[in-house]
Amino acid sequence: MNREEFLQGLTEALSGQVSPEVLQENLRYYSDYIYTEVGKGRSESQVMEELGSPRLIARTIIDATPGAGEGAYEDVYTGRSSAQSGSGMGNGSSARTDGGGRYQQGNGYHYYDLSKWYWKLLGIVVVIGVMTLVLMVVGGILSLVIPLLPVIGLVILIMWFVRGGPGPRR
């Protein structure tokens, strides 16, 4: 397999499964990687062997891209979505969204896309809330201890005198 065949296979496997931006970004990345490695003196066949199957790489990209694999993107070649053209990978590992930034993978794992502004705002509110709670607890403890400091000091002073005071000087 040469560079063109690899990139063509990657394009076919990703087309309709990911957004055109993700497709172009990955094509650019692998093309640059191959050129760089060949520029270092390696043969193109060695680089292709190292990379492996473009379909396997495409599956990894689809699994790692939120919202990918749903057939919502038009196929570069046919203009149809992958659900219409039947060009999906067909292993049942598609990601489905439930609307709130939460995705359900076909393998049963769930993850949340925390890059949305409202998740960041929620994180800030939680951090501020925890800090407020800690300060309130510390302040409550200090409000109980501070009035008792003179009494504690007096008890320590009395114990010091009862035990013999400053003691003999040497």
Side-chain angles (χ1 to χ4, degrees), residues 10 13-14 17 53-65 68-70 88-95 105:
L10 188 62
L14 289 175
Q17 297 293 317
S53 167
R55 291 210 175 271
L56 182 59
I57 292 172
R59 182 78 260 156
T60 304
I61 293 167
I62 291 167
D63 288 345
T65 305
E70 298 176 5
M89 295 295 284
N91 68 357
S93 180
S94 65
Q105 294 289 347

Side-chain angles (χ1 to χ4, degrees), residues 12 36 45 48 58 85 93 111 116 137 170:
E12 289 172 3
T36 302
S45 62
M48 294 298 104
S85 64
S93 180
Y111 69 97
K116 305 284 186 196
V137 168
R170 297 183 184 180

Side-chain angles (χ1 to χ4, degrees), residues 86-104:
S87 65
M89 295 295 284
N91 68 357
S93 180
S94 65
R96 296 177 304 278
T97 182
D98 67 356
R102 180 172 174 239
Y103 295 92
Q104 177 178 351

Side-chain angles (χ1 to χ4, degrees), residues 3-16:
R3 184 184 71 82
E4 292 302 322
E5 291 170 342
F6 176 84
L7 294 175
Q8 183 65 30
L10 188 62
T11 301
E12 289 172 3
L14 289 175
S15 186

Side-chain angles (χ1 to χ4, degrees), residues 18-165:
V18 295
S19 69
E21 294 82 19
V22 171
L23 173 66
Q24 290 304 316
E25 176 184 337
N26 281 285
L27 289 176
R28 210 174 10 257
Y29 170 80
Y30 283 103
S31 179
D32 290 347
Y33 177 79
I34 294 166
Y35 277 130
T36 302
E37 292 300 310
V38 170
K40 290 179 181 177
R42 297 177 62 194
S43 72
E44 192 173 275
S45 62
Q46 287 176 322
V47 177
M48 294 298 104
E49 185 177 321
E50 175 190 311
L51 286 174
S53 167
R55 291 210 175 271
L56 182 59
I57 292 172
R59 182 78 260 156
T60 304
I61 293 167
I62 291 167
D63 288 345
T65 305
E70 298 176 5
Y73 300 103
E74 284 191 7
D75 192 313
V76 172
Y77 298 105
T78 64
R80 297 183 300 167
S81 73
S82 61
Q84 295 169 333
S85 64
S87 65
M89 295 295 284
N91 68 357
S93 180
S94 65
R96 296 177 304 278
T97 182
D98 67 356
R102 180 172 174 239
Y103 295 92
Q104 177 178 351
Q105 294 289 347
N107 57 13
Y109 294 110
H110 300 278
Y111 69 97
Y112 291 89
D113 180 12
L114 300 179
S115 64
K116 305 284 186 196
W117 68 270
Y118 48 84
W119 287 113
K120 292 176 183 175
L121 179 64
L122 180 64
I124 291 170
V125 169
V126 167
V127 167
I128 290 173
V130 168
M131 288 175 56
T132 303
L133 183 63
V134 167
L135 289 175
M136 288 175 67
V137 168
V138 169
I141 292 171
L142 286 177
S143 69
L144 293 175
V145 171
I146 288 177
L148 297 176
L149 283 179
V151 175
I152 293 170
L154 185 61
V155 168
I156 291 173
L157 186 63
I158 291 172
M159 288 175 57
W160 182 61
F161 279 122
V162 169
R163 289 192 176 178

